[in-house]
Amino acid sequence: MMIRNNPYQDETKGILTLVSTPIGNRDDITLRALNALKEADIIACEDTRNTSLLVSSYGIKNKKYVSLYAQTEARDAKALVEQIKKENLKVCYCSDAGMPGISDPGAILVKECYQQNVNVTILPGPSASLSALVLSSFDTADFSFFGFLPTKDGQIKKFLTPLKERQETLIFYESPKRIRHTLELVSEVFGPEREVAIVRELTKIHEETIASKVSEILSSSFEEKGEFVLIIKGSEERTIDQKEIDNRIKEGLKAGKSSSSLAKEIAAELSLSKNQIYDRILALSKKLRG
């Protein structure tokens, strides 16, 4: 199914607006978010109590709230979107904090809008994962976000082990009750010298970032309070797959590239010695001819 979503082309149609809400400091709400909440016919949310208190703190009163949380999203999203379409409603969706759909409900709701050809848009705002990434001082050009880790040791190690040699920055959420033990498992899987950062209480008065080798953080004391973002620096060790190099060489030779230009191209891509690649090209060429 091809998706074409142009939410601002026809204002007579109903629309779902995903509204990002503060992750701590209530002043982080945007003007667009406030206007959308004021104009909404319905505010759907992960927790009606939390969201109604937040919205009323901005002086927005007498709104209709409906509950749509992780355990009910798959069941209730269809009915809500059908209502938006039938009655041409303006509906906002808020998760408890941050951007809906990022380790929070919202993604299924968006998919349902596309399936029913209902306009959907998002109002950008606070994101704990991205804020913590920037504060970590680690590479921000290449990163992967994984949300919350499993809760059992064996599952955590099984999840983390394939990530050990990944070169991008890795981002996770963790609870204060498990953060120290999770760091111990990170040390076990990635090694005690791997650099990590833990960021807690973002945008609040007790906001704190600690970045160092995981062994040094474990040997220090820190407040195990507030939700944590765990950032793991990418591996600086590079594992070169010889089979991949050979396949690239064969493809290049088949395409008629000269040994010299091919060696230069592959060496530049993989940050390897040109002479090393050239010698491999000669060996493979001889083998293919023989």
Side-chain angles (χ1 to χ4, degrees), residues 23 102 127-134 143 145 171 173 202 229 231:
I23 56 177
I102 305 298
S127 170
S129 56
L130 294 182
S131 300
L133 171 64
V134 174
F143 61 89
F145 171 66
I171 308 172
Y173 288 158
L202 275 164
V229 184
I231 318 286

Side-chain angles (χ1 to χ4, degrees), residues 38-53:
K38 288 175 185 176
E39 296 173 3
D41 298 303
I42 297 173
I43 298 176
C45 45
E46 187 175 4
D47 189 313
T48 56
R49 294 164 298 180
N50 289 345
T51 301
S52 61
L53 285 172

Side-chain angles (χ1 to χ4, degrees), residues 149-249:
L149 284 162
T151 56
K152 295 182 179 179
D153 288 10
Q155 293 174 334
I156 293 174
K157 288 192 280 188
K158 184 177 180 180
F159 187 90
L160 291 178
T161 298
L163 306 178
K164 181 180 178 180
E165 295 182 355
R166 295 270 285 264
Q167 293 181 286
E168 79 270 28
T169 306
L170 311 175
I171 308 172
F172 306 89
Y173 288 158
E174 190 52 284
S175 80
K177 294 180 180 179
R178 294 195 299 264
I179 185 63
R180 182 170 287 275
H181 185 59
T182 296
L183 287 172
E184 292 171 352
L185 296 175
V186 168
S187 179
E188 185 178 334
V189 173
F190 289 82
E193 299 298 298
R194 180 64 66 93
E195 290 186 56
V196 303
I198 52 174
V199 184
R200 70 181 189 93
E201 294 289 80
L202 275 164
T203 76
K204 300 178 185 178
I205 193 167
H206 296 295
E207 178 182 302
E208 183 177 30
T209 300
I210 304 173
S212 187
K213 296 176 182 178
V214 64
S215 58
E216 292 179 349
I217 294 179
L218 281 170
S219 64
S220 69
S221 61
F222 58 87
E223 286 280 351
E224 297 175 44
K225 296 179 180 179
E227 294 301 319
F228 280 81
V229 184
L230 167 64
I231 318 286
I232 301 177
K233 189 174 182 179
S235 173
E236 295 179 354
E237 297 180 8
R238 187 156 191 184
T239 302
I240 303 300
D241 187 340
Q242 188 61 53
K243 187 176 181 180
E244 178 187 351
I245 295 174
D246 288 352
N247 287 336
R248 293 229 198 149
I249 291 173

Side-chain angles (χ1 to χ4, degrees), residues 133-149:
L133 171 64
V134 174
L135 286 174
S136 73
S137 79
F138 299 159
D139 180 23
T140 60
D142 189 11
F143 61 89
S144 293
F145 171 66
F146 296 92
F148 284 95
L149 284 162

